[in-house]
Short mmCIF file of all heavy atoms in Angstrom, two decimals:
data_model
loop_
_atom_site.label_atom_id
_atom_site.label_comp_id
_atom_site.label_asym_id
_atom_site.label_seq_id
_atom_site.Cartn_x
_atom_site.Cartn_y
_atom_site.Cartn_z
N LEU A 179 -0.41 -0.76 10.73
CA LEU A 179 0.00 0.61 11.02
C LEU A 179 -1.21 1.52 11.15
O LEU A 179 -1.20 2.46 11.95
CB LEU A 179 0.92 1.14 9.91
CG LEU A 179 2.19 0.34 9.61
CD1 LEU A 179 2.97 1.01 8.48
CD2 LEU A 179 3.05 0.20 10.85
N GLY A 180 -2.24 1.24 10.37
CA GLY A 180 -3.44 2.06 10.43
C GLY A 180 -4.11 2.01 11.78
O GLY A 180 -4.65 3.02 12.24
N GLU A 181 -4.10 0.87 12.42
CA GLU A 181 -4.76 0.76 13.73
C GLU A 181 -4.06 1.63 14.76
O GLU A 181 -4.70 2.27 15.59
CB GLU A 181 -4.79 -0.70 14.17
CG GLU A 181 -5.61 -1.58 13.25
CD GLU A 181 -6.20 -2.77 13.95
OE1 GLU A 181 -5.87 -2.99 15.14
OE2 GLU A 181 -7.00 -3.48 13.32
N TYR A 182 -2.74 1.64 14.71
CA TYR A 182 -2.01 2.50 15.66
C TYR A 182 -2.29 3.97 15.37
O TYR A 182 -2.52 4.76 16.29
CB TYR A 182 -0.51 2.22 15.60
CG TYR A 182 0.28 3.08 16.55
CD1 TYR A 182 0.47 2.69 17.87
CD2 TYR A 182 0.80 4.31 16.15
CE1 TYR A 182 1.17 3.47 18.77
CE2 TYR A 182 1.51 5.11 17.05
CZ TYR A 182 1.68 4.69 18.34
OH TYR A 182 2.37 5.50 19.22
N ALA A 183 -2.26 4.35 14.09
CA ALA A 183 -2.50 5.76 13.73
C ALA A 183 -3.90 6.19 14.15
O ALA A 183 -4.08 7.31 14.68
CB ALA A 183 -2.31 5.95 12.23
N ALA A 184 -4.90 5.33 13.95
CA ALA A 184 -6.26 5.67 14.36
C ALA A 184 -6.36 5.79 15.87
O ALA A 184 -7.04 6.69 16.40
CB ALA A 184 -7.23 4.63 13.84
N TYR A 185 -5.70 4.90 16.58
CA TYR A 185 -5.67 4.99 18.05
C TYR A 185 -5.09 6.33 18.51
O TYR A 185 -5.65 7.00 19.38
CB TYR A 185 -4.84 3.83 18.60
CG TYR A 185 -4.11 4.11 19.89
CD1 TYR A 185 -4.80 4.22 21.09
CD2 TYR A 185 -2.72 4.28 19.90
CE1 TYR A 185 -4.12 4.49 22.28
CE2 TYR A 185 -2.04 4.54 21.07
CZ TYR A 185 -2.74 4.65 22.26
OH TYR A 185 -2.07 4.93 23.41
N ARG A 186 -3.99 6.74 17.90
CA ARG A 186 -3.36 8.01 18.29
C ARG A 186 -4.27 9.19 17.98
O ARG A 186 -4.34 10.14 18.76
CB ARG A 186 -2.02 8.16 17.57
CG ARG A 186 -0.96 7.20 18.04
CD ARG A 186 -0.38 7.61 19.38
NE ARG A 186 0.62 8.64 19.20
CZ ARG A 186 0.64 9.81 19.85
NH1 ARG A 186 -0.32 10.11 20.70
NH2 ARG A 186 1.61 10.67 19.62
N CYS A 187 -4.98 9.12 16.86
CA CYS A 187 -5.92 10.21 16.53
C CYS A 187 -7.03 10.29 17.57
O CYS A 187 -7.38 11.39 18.03
CB CYS A 187 -6.52 9.98 15.15
SG CYS A 187 -5.40 10.29 13.77
N LEU A 188 -7.59 9.15 17.93
CA LEU A 188 -8.71 9.14 18.88
C LEU A 188 -8.27 9.54 20.29
O LEU A 188 -9.10 9.98 21.09
CB LEU A 188 -9.36 7.76 18.90
CG LEU A 188 -10.13 7.38 17.62
CD1 LEU A 188 -10.55 5.92 17.68
CD2 LEU A 188 -11.35 8.28 17.46
N MET A 189 -7.00 9.37 20.59
CA MET A 189 -6.49 9.79 21.90
C MET A 189 -6.14 11.27 21.93
O MET A 189 -5.75 11.79 22.97
CB MET A 189 -5.25 8.97 22.26
CG MET A 189 -5.56 7.53 22.62
SD MET A 189 -6.61 7.35 24.08
CE MET A 189 -5.50 7.95 25.36
N ASN A 190 -6.27 11.93 20.79
CA ASN A 190 -5.97 13.36 20.72
C ASN A 190 -7.14 14.12 21.33
O ASN A 190 -8.21 14.26 20.73
CB ASN A 190 -5.75 13.76 19.25
CG ASN A 190 -5.29 15.20 19.12
OD1 ASN A 190 -5.51 16.02 20.00
ND2 ASN A 190 -4.66 15.50 18.01
N ASN A 191 -6.96 14.65 22.51
CA ASN A 191 -8.05 15.29 23.24
C ASN A 191 -8.42 16.67 22.73
O ASN A 191 -9.34 17.30 23.25
CB ASN A 191 -7.68 15.39 24.73
CG ASN A 191 -7.63 14.05 25.41
OD1 ASN A 191 -8.46 13.18 25.14
ND2 ASN A 191 -6.66 13.85 26.28
N ASP A 192 -7.71 17.14 21.73
CA ASP A 192 -8.00 18.47 21.21
C ASP A 192 -9.02 18.46 20.09
O ASP A 192 -9.30 19.48 19.48
CB ASP A 192 -6.70 19.12 20.70
CG ASP A 192 -5.71 19.35 21.82
OD1 ASP A 192 -6.14 19.59 22.95
OD2 ASP A 192 -4.50 19.27 21.54
N VAL A 193 -9.61 17.29 19.79
CA VAL A 193 -10.55 17.21 18.69
C VAL A 193 -11.90 16.71 19.19
O VAL A 193 -12.00 16.05 20.21
CB VAL A 193 -10.03 16.28 17.57
CG1 VAL A 193 -8.75 16.81 16.97
CG2 VAL A 193 -9.83 14.87 18.08
N ASP A 194 -12.95 17.03 18.44
CA ASP A 194 -14.30 16.64 18.83
C ASP A 194 -14.52 15.14 18.69
O ASP A 194 -15.43 14.59 19.30
CB ASP A 194 -15.33 17.38 17.96
CG ASP A 194 -15.31 18.88 18.22
OD1 ASP A 194 -14.91 19.27 19.34
OD2 ASP A 194 -15.68 19.64 17.32
N GLY A 195 -13.72 14.48 17.88
CA GLY A 195 -13.92 13.06 17.62
C GLY A 195 -13.30 12.15 18.65
O GLY A 195 -13.19 10.94 18.42
#
Side-chain angles (χ1 to χ4, degrees):
L179 303 180
E181 297 208 353
Y182 180 87
Y185 150 72
R186 291 284 279 128
C187 286
L188 290 172
M189 288 298 292
N190 186 337
N191 291 321
D192 295 329
V193 297
D194 294 334

